[in-house]
Amino acid sequence: MIGAGRVDGSTLATATGTFRDDDASSRAGSPGAQASGAGQPGVPTLTHVDHENVAHWDGVTRRSSFKDTYAAQRDRLADAARDGHWHTVFEILEKDRKAVNTARLEGRSGYTLLHQAAWHGASAETVGRLLEAGAWRTLRAGDGARAVDIAARRGHHHITAALCPEIRHPLPADVTGRLQYHLHRLIRHRAGLEDGSDLATQQGMRLPEVEVLTELSHPVCWFPVPGMYGGFKIRLSDSELTVDSWIRIVGGSERTDVVRVDGVNVQEGGQL
């Protein structure tokens, strides 16, 4: 059985080990880097992540962020889904389970594997295997369509029921939107650069979407940022988000901020 598209303590190393900056981070020799365990390539070492399963939000859209071999594998996966070659898709997912919710690098449609299955009108068995692998029903393509919307639009009614999102942590639409707005503010702030820009914007990343958290039985996701040598663990609880973040080569960078509908309550007190 393919493992769900999630990251746990055994796979955190590969979650960021595909970025071009990982080799540099593993060589970082500053006291801060050693204090945070950066001598292990690609391993975010905040202890409360290591023993907890979390969903993996892959926001990378540019192939230049990845090592060539991994970018080529992503191309092969996207090509297979586009062409409806599901045997190849599942063969790749067996080796890279976290890729189940990824879209084509530098693509325009934003179609993930599940969106492609909906477009093709794939068999119920294929859709079921993608869902079992961790595909998200709430994830939207570039035009805002979910997989169920694509299937319904193309008349593939044999799979629409399976593609309907199962919302385990319902939120009003306005609350979802406000939480997401403030979450993205926090990410850009924490990934900020001295010139006033930030790594997420600079790299054209697709930032985490709160709607996806509402369908997860365990509503937590990990969002690594290339160049940050770390990232964000985002947890939905009732109508707020707890966000742990750290920069692996800076000792003492770990922090926890809380995102609410009215803004971001930062660790030091006050609001962002």
Side-chain angles (χ1 to χ4, degrees):
M1 181 182 72
I2 296 173
R6 308 173 77 81
V7 180
D8 57 28
S10 64
T11 57
L12 277 169
T14 59
T16 56
T18 50
F19 294 149
R20 287 188 183 276
D21 60 32
D22 287 318
D23 292 339
S25 71
S26 67
R27 293 192 299 267
S30 68
Q34 299 306 314
S36 60
Q40 303 174 46
V43 183
T45 55
L46 205 59
T47 56
H48 56 266
V49 173
D50 292 343
H51 304 293
E52 178 180 29
N53 291 337
V54 297
H56 180 87
W57 180 276
D58 187 339
V60 176
T61 63
R62 296 178 184 168
R63 67 181 56 254
S64 59
S65 297
F66 286 125
K67 295 176 181 177
D68 292 341
T69 52
Y70 186 71
Q73 178 176 288
R74 285 281 299 273
D75 289 342
R76 182 168 173 253
L77 178 62
D79 288 347
R82 177 200 62 198
D83 298 336
H85 295 164
W86 301 112
H87 175 77
T88 302
V89 166
F90 291 116
E91 177 185 276
I92 296 171
L93 288 181
E94 287 285 356
K95 301 173 184 176
D96 184 18
R97 60 184 185 176
K98 71 182 186 299
V100 68
N101 290 300
T102 60
R104 180 181 298 277
L105 294 171
E106 300 178 5
R108 291 178 296 178
S109 71
Y111 272 28
T112 64
L113 309 182
L114 196 63
H115 293 125
Q116 293 285 17
W119 191 92
H120 281 288
S123 69
E125 179 186 1
T126 294
V127 169
R129 289 184 68 185
L130 288 172
L131 294 173
E132 182 183 357
W136 299 329
R137 296 175 173 97
T138 52
L139 192 59
R140 296 178 183 271
D143 63 358
R146 303 164 302 174
V148 65
D149 303 321
I150 296 167
R153 194 162 59 204
R154 293 182 57 81
H156 300 315
H157 303 300
H158 64 290
I159 52 176
T160 52
L163 292 173
C164 283
E166 297 180 7
I167 304 302
R168 295 176 171 85
H169 311 278
L171 289 174
D174 63 324
V175 171
T176 301
R178 290 163 71 183
L179 287 176
Q180 184 163 299
Y181 170 74
H182 292 302
L183 171 64
H184 292 181
R185 285 180 55 231
L186 173 61
I187 289 172
R188 293 189 179 102
H189 174 72
R190 279 287 280 157
L193 301 171
E194 291 182 356
D195 63 4
S197 62
D198 68 89
L199 287 167
T201 301
Q202 192 178 81
Q203 299 181 78
M205 300 192 76
R206 180 175 181 175
L207 302 186
E209 295 165 12
V210 174
E211 187 176 18
V212 167
L213 292 173
T214 66
E215 76 167 286
L216 303 179
S217 56
H218 184 58
V220 183
C221 77
W222 161 243
F223 174 52
V225 178
M228 187 175 171
Y229 308 117
F232 302 82
K233 191 189 80 167
I234 304 159
R235 177 192 301 271
L236 172 65
S237 179
D238 296 325
S239 58
E240 67 180 37
L241 303 170
T242 302
V243 183
D244 297 323
S245 61
W246 67 96
I247 303 168
R248 185 158 48 90
I249 59 173
V250 178
S253 67
E254 301 91 345
R255 60 179 295 124
T256 300
D257 303 298
V258 178
V259 176
R260 298 193 171 105
V261 292
D262 60 347
V264 180
N265 289 11
V266 296
Q267 181 172 282
E268 297 85 358
Q271 285 198 326
L272 177 65

